[in-house]
Amino acid sequence: KAGVTQTPRYLIKTRGQQVTLSCSPISGHRSVSWYQQTPGQGLQFLFEYFSETQRNKGNFPGRFSGRQFSNSRSEMNVSTLELGDSALYLCASSLFREGHYEQYFGPGTRLTVT
Amino acid sequence: GQQLNQSPQSMFIQEGEDVSMNCTSSSIFNTWLWYKQDPGEGPVLLIALYKAGELTSNGRLTAQFGITRKDSFLNISASIPSDVGIYFCAGDRNSGGSNYKLTFGKGTLLTVNP
């Protein structure tokens, strides 16, 4: 079974621009979560989507948004990029099984803002 | 936001040695997970723990869900060079599957000297 895929793997943007990242979950997984990973803050939860609805949101400004499509694929968007948005953005898909979630991560998109 | 206190931050050991790392929190968690991340990749799930007191093994890895639900540890026995990487603990405070949001520790960087 194919794992979580994220595109693109690497991205360089300029301050003030916007960016859209894409995530395809494992087939059959309906929950998709996004995380930001930086050396200073570690892994920080951004948001989680299930059946096209945002169920959970972390403590990030409104410049960070996301959506999920009917096929469970998800996108996240960051508008008005700042230097501090440079990070590895990880997507994870989850399957609820036997009363628990099992979460699997993709390889991430490395975003560099200059 | 809520953080898990993971220690040690880094470890440098000889091949064949056993390794132990742990995570603590001031809050109760209902799920504890341990992940390993290699450079340029997303975290890979190693062990999932769902019940207080649970002890689970995966090959040379053993993890326990603390009885207070505020801590967990991971042991690696007879380390080998491919164990090198960053190990993360993660916890979910929710239960029942209504939503899903992981909180991560800052990671333990493990270096194994052949």
Side-chain angles (χ1 to χ4, degrees):
Chain A
K1 188 184 265 192
V4 179
T5 58
Q6 291 186 246
T7 57
R9 290 293 309 274
Y10 303 92
L11 205 49
I12 299 175
K13 289 285 189 179
T14 305
R15 265 184 307 177
Q17 287 186 314
Q18 73 162 12
V19 67
T20 299
L21 312 181
S22 181
C23 171
S24 292
I26 294 171
S27 176
H29 289 198
R30 294 169 63 191
S31 167
V32 174
S33 300
W34 288 89
Y35 295 83
Q36 181 196 66
Q37 186 176 29
T38 59
Q41 297 299 316
L43 273 151
Q44 303 270 315
F45 174 81
L46 280 157
F47 27 66
E48 184 238 356
Y49 286 87
F50 182 86
S51 291
E52 302 178 66
T53 300
Q54 187 182 89
R55 288 199 303 192
N56 241 323
K57 191 176 188 307
N59 298 322
F60 278 81
R63 300 184 297 108
F64 292 81
S65 62
R67 58 177 176 167
Q68 186 180 34
F69 302 95
S70 58
N71 61 359
S72 293
R73 191 177 70 84
S74 178
E75 289 181 347
M76 68 162 281
N77 184 76
V78 188
S79 62
T80 319
L81 284 165
E82 300 176 0
L83 294 179
D85 296 334
S86 294
L88 181 67
Y89 289 89
L90 291 161
C91 166
S93 76
S94 304
L95 178 69
F96 191 67
R97 178 162 61 186
E98 297 179 2
H100 304 292
Y101 272 102
E102 296 178 359
Q103 188 169 78
Y104 299 89
F105 283 84
T109 294
R110 171 74 62 187
L111 172 64
T112 302
V113 182
T114 63
Chain B
Q2 175 71 43
Q3 286 281 353
L4 297 179
N5 302 308
Q6 185 171 349
S7 64
Q9 281 189 319
S10 61
M11 301 181 75
F12 188 93
I13 62 170
Q14 295 296 121
E15 184 177 357
E17 289 183 353
D18 297 344
V19 170
S20 185
M21 58 192 80
N22 69 81
C23 265
T24 61
S25 172
S26 57
S27 302
I28 288 174
F29 282 82
N30 289 309
T31 298
W32 284 92
L33 305 165
W34 285 91
Y35 287 88
K36 180 185 178 220
Q37 187 174 25
D38 291 327
E41 300 295 330
V44 173
L45 181 63
L46 298 174
I47 293 180
L49 302 159
Y50 302 118
K51 288 183 188 176
E54 181 180 358
L55 184 72
T56 297
S57 293
N58 178 7
R60 295 177 297 105
L61 277 59
T62 301
Q64 184 156 30
F65 191 143
I67 217 67
T68 64
R69 292 196 284 159
K70 293 183 179 180
D71 62 336
S72 176
F73 73 75
L74 174 71
N75 285 344
I76 305 173
S77 62
S79 59
I80 59 178
S82 62
D83 290 335
V84 165
I86 303 177
Y87 291 79
F88 291 97
C89 63
D92 182 21
R93 298 180 63 188
N94 300 306
S95 60
S98 60
N99 50 41
Y100 195 55
K101 174 182 175 181
L102 289 183
T103 301
F104 280 82
K106 290 275 182 109
T108 295
L109 173 61
L110 177 64
T111 304
V112 179
N113 191 32

